[in-house]
Amino acid sequence: MAGIFKIVMKIKLDYPDDFHDYFSYRLVLILTCDRLLRQDKEMREYSMLAILVGLAIGIGLPMQTSINSRLRNSVGSPFGASLISFAVGTLFLAIMTLIDVHTLGFSTTLFTSQPVWIWLGGLLGVVYLTGNILLFPKLGSVQTVIMPVLGQILAGLLIDNFGWFDSPQSTLTMTRFLGAILVLAGVIITVAAQGWLEQRHNRITETAEKDTATDTDQSGLGIWRALGVVAGMLSAMQTAVNGHLGRVLGSTVHAAFVSFLVGTLGLIVIVLVLRPQFKLIRPTKTPNPWWTWIGGMIGALYVLGNVYLVPVVGTGLAVVIVLVGLMAGSLMIDQFGWFASKKNPISGVQLMGLLVMIVGVALIRVF
């Protein structure tokens, strides 16, 4: 109503003669209200589309992980698989960029007029990907998911609260904080609770070696957990950086291409330094399926979706929505055994965890 009053008063000051007539005044007021209501409806629809996009790219992320795991078995190197995935994604985004803006280049003045960090999104993605590869054998599958998620939620809310990386600023309220806690709780329930319940019903006697684990080992695990949280924070930073890059370039597709190109160049340097052995094999003694090579395309769509999301809903909510989609996609892959994954039927506890996450997103979104 305050917005309507300001607009009407501006019209009255600009065109005072038009307001001598009472009916003209009412007509302008009605038309102004109608326009504002339509704008509000369009923004709600735009926001709903953003939520659907976030859920879709989140669901695609575990699919990419499954595909790249199969690719890793085929080429014999995690870094080789990552390089192939990034290269395919870069080629895919290059084609889309040429269709969208008809060029892959951009003004060189951006190097002097924009902060250096706008070009680091791709490198942050590589660090996050490499971090997960290193974390998995140290922490196991459960903590490898939970620790980065904690970092993503924490960094996302901080970026929103302070407006870092030129992100839309959204003050952190107690309700939004509670929503973030619920999302994290939902992740823990979905990923870990089922295993904990099984262990509770099937107690396994621990070996003497486990009982005599040294304090040094526990300290080492603490360091790896901290690195997992940092990796998750870098992932949220990548989302914010790429979102700003999209606004600077005026094209979400172009920004996603630049991000993937930087990531690909970074991986080329890593491969040249580490010199991993490349080999193309058939792990199952059958031809490698066609979908082995499309992980990069799914990753490209993930980055593209994030570039679109940040200006619309902010970094914090973008991270949270994608996380809900990620967990939903993981459960579907387990349920149906997609992409040669082992079937692991969904339990009621996991569905409850997903519901808790949805409630958390609703709290963050509404308040």
Side-chain angles (χ1 to χ4, degrees):
M1 186 58 68
I4 295 174
F5 177 76
K6 289 180 181 179
I7 292 176
V8 172
M9 290 305 297
K10 184 179 185 304
I11 296 174
K12 186 173 181 179
L13 291 174
D14 292 342
Y15 308 100
D17 294 338
D18 292 344
F19 282 87
H20 291 164
D21 180 35
Y22 171 75
F23 293 103
S24 298
Y25 177 83
R26 289 193 64 186
L27 178 60
V28 172
L29 182 60
I30 292 171
L31 292 176
T32 302
C33 290
D34 180 67
R35 184 175 65 183
L36 289 177
L37 289 174
R38 282 189 282 108
Q39 288 177 348
D40 181 67
K41 180 180 179 182
E42 290 174 358
M43 287 302 297
R44 288 178 181 273
E45 292 176 350
Y46 197 50
S47 181
M48 181 58 66
L49 176 62
I51 292 175
L52 293 176
V53 169
L55 291 175
I57 63 175
I59 290 172
L61 196 59
M63 295 181 182
Q64 182 200 21
T65 301
S66 298
I67 291 171
N68 284 346
S69 296
R70 180 65 169 75
L71 179 62
R72 173 185 177 178
N73 293 335
S74 297
V75 300
S77 166
F79 294 103
S82 297
L83 178 57
I84 292 173
S85 181
F86 263 80
V88 171
T90 302
L91 179 61
F92 172 68
L93 287 171
I95 296 172
M96 292 185 65
T97 302
L98 288 174
I99 295 174
D100 182 39
V101 296
H102 311 296
T103 180
L104 298 180
F106 48 83
S107 175
T108 56
T109 59
L110 294 179
F111 289 110
T112 55
S113 63
Q114 295 294 325
V116 176
W117 51 257
I118 71 169
W119 312 107
L120 300 181
L123 293 180
L124 293 174
V126 171
V127 173
Y128 175 67
L129 178 65
T130 306
N132 278 339
I133 293 175
L134 297 175
L135 287 173
F136 187 82
K138 299 293 183 179
L139 299 180
S141 59
V142 172
Q143 294 189 56
T144 300
V145 171
I146 293 175
M147 295 303 157
V149 164
L150 176 59
Q152 287 174 329
I153 294 177
L154 177 62
L157 292 178
L158 289 175
I159 290 170
D160 271 0
N161 187 65
F162 297 105
W164 293 340
F165 306 111
D166 288 337
S167 296
Q169 191 168 0
S170 180
T171 304
L172 178 61
T173 63
M174 283 302 299
T175 305
R176 289 171 61 84
F177 181 74
L178 176 60
I181 294 298
L182 286 177
V183 172
L184 179 60
V187 172
I188 294 174
I189 292 172
T190 304
V191 175
Q194 185 64 23
W196 290 341
L197 290 176
E198 290 176 358
Q199 290 181 6
R200 187 179 183 87
H201 288 89
N202 302 285
R203 293 288 184 181
I204 301 176
T205 304
E206 295 183 350
T207 61
E209 289 77 12
K210 290 184 179 179
D211 289 332
T212 58
T214 64
D215 293 337
T216 302
D217 292 336
Q218 293 302 317
S219 175
L221 284 179
I223 294 174
W224 284 107
R225 288 165 182 155
L227 290 176
V229 174
V230 171
M233 297 179 73
L234 293 178
S235 176
M237 291 168 59
Q238 178 198 16
T239 299
V241 168
N242 287 341
H244 179 67
L245 181 61
R247 293 193 296 273
V248 169
L249 296 178
S251 169
T252 56
V253 179
H254 201 177
F257 164 72
V258 172
S259 178
F260 249 72
L261 178 62
V262 172
T264 300
L265 295 176
L267 276 168
I268 289 175
V269 173
I270 292 175
V271 168
L272 290 176
V273 172
L274 298 180
R275 298 179 181 274
Q277 182 180 1
F278 285 90
K279 56 182 178 179
L280 186 60
I281 61 176
R282 298 179 177 181
T284 60
K285 297 182 180 180
T286 58
N288 291 306
W290 61 270
W291 47 260
T292 304
W293 312 101
I294 67 169
M297 296 176 61
I298 297 176
L301 293 174
Y302 171 78
V303 172
L304 178 60
N306 273 315
V307 174
Y308 164 78
L309 279 177
V310 172
V312 179
V313 300
T315 303
L317 183 56
V319 168
V320 170
I321 294 172
V322 171
L323 285 176
V324 174
L326 185 152
M327 299 310 301
S330 299
L331 293 179
M332 287 191 290
I333 290 175
D334 279 354
Q335 176 68 27
F336 301 107
W338 291 340
F339 306 111
S341 299
K342 182 180 179 181
K343 284 188 177 183
N344 188 14
I346 300 173
S347 67
V349 173
Q350 291 173 318
L351 290 176
M352 183 179 69
L354 188 60
L355 179 61
V356 171
M357 283 187 282
I358 293 173
V359 172
V361 171
L363 286 177
I364 296 174
R365 181 67 190 93
V366 175
F367 301 97

